[in-house]
Structure formats: C-alpha cells, structure tokens
Amino acid sequence: MIGPRKFRLVPRAAGDTTPIEPKVADAMRKAGMDPSKFTVAPFAAGETASSFAAMFPEGARLEHTFAFETLNGALGAIERIVGDDVAAHINRQGKRWVVVFDGPADPAVPGKTEHEKVASRVADLGGEDRGFSHLTMNVTKKGS
C-alpha cells in the first residue's frame, strides 16, 4: 500500500473486544473517549475525499455565531438549526462553547433579518449572540 492508511472511530459492536493500538487508545483517552466503547475501522474507498465542498457549497453565505455557557446549550442549538442547507462547527473558547452556523444567503432577505430568525430559535438556550458575517465561498476541485 502506498501512502498513509486512514481510519475512523466507530462505536464497538456488543461483545467486540478487538485490541486497539496503544497509541490510538492513548489519543482517544486524551480526547475524552473511552477505548472500550469505540474501535477503529478503515475508511471506504472515496470516503476520505474532502467533504468541504459538500458542507459549504459555493456562493453567498451567512455565518451566525453564538456562545453558550454549557455544551448542552450548544448541542441543543445545533440540533435545532442544522439541516440540509445549514452546517455548524463548534469549538471551546475559554469557558464557553462557540457555535458557528453556516447557511446560504438569500439575496432577497437582509442578513440582519435572517440572523434575527436564527437567534430567536436559540435564544432560550442561553446563547450569547455574537453576530453574523457575510462570506462568499469559492471551491476549487482538485483534478485527478
């Protein structure tokens, strides 16, 4: 085989006791995951291709940013907002969980109006509204 082998973590099937390479198990523990509950599986052909273009299609986009005191609040917001045309990413900043929602911008609707609609859907989860930004996504596909 040429090149690095790529794997993903998947939940273990009931009764699966397949040993995991110690370096992988240590990395899982450092990430807060229990190696007895997950195992590694190779990616299927084409599964490791970049998913960036699928997550963020080309064109005008709006990003909506909120900060939550709790992980539950952040995940609740993601559950409410993410859909076929809206993606999200989450990260930890200090003591808060910051969630950024990325969705298509409708040229007929002002960004502020669209942001207010998103903010109203997560307001009861205790999120601090950090505003919105316009962006334009251009995707260059690598030829093979």
Side-chain angles (χ1 to χ4, degrees), residues 66-70 72-81 101 116-129:
F66 301 90
F68 296 87
E69 293 286 333
T70 66
N72 278 349
L75 294 175
I78 290 171
E79 191 172 48
R80 286 184 189 178
I81 304 298
F101 297 102
E116 288 170 350
K117 287 194 313 193
V118 173
S120 71
R121 292 181 62 195
V122 300
D124 65 315
L125 298 171
E128 171 193 339
D129 186 346

Side-chain angles (χ1 to χ4, degrees), residues 1-9 18-21 24 39-45 47-49:
M1 175 164 61
I2 298 173
R5 294 175 52 195
K6 295 185 179 185
F7 295 91
R8 60 190 163 123
L9 295 175
T18 308
I20 294 178
E21 183 179 328
V24 174
T39 190
V40 293
F43 278 111
E47 192 174 2
T48 60

Side-chain angles (χ1 to χ4, degrees), residues 29-48:
R29 283 186 203 95
K30 286 180 183 175
M33 300 176 77
D34 181 353
S36 69
K37 295 183 180 178
F38 295 90
T39 190
V40 293
F43 278 111
E47 192 174 2
T48 60

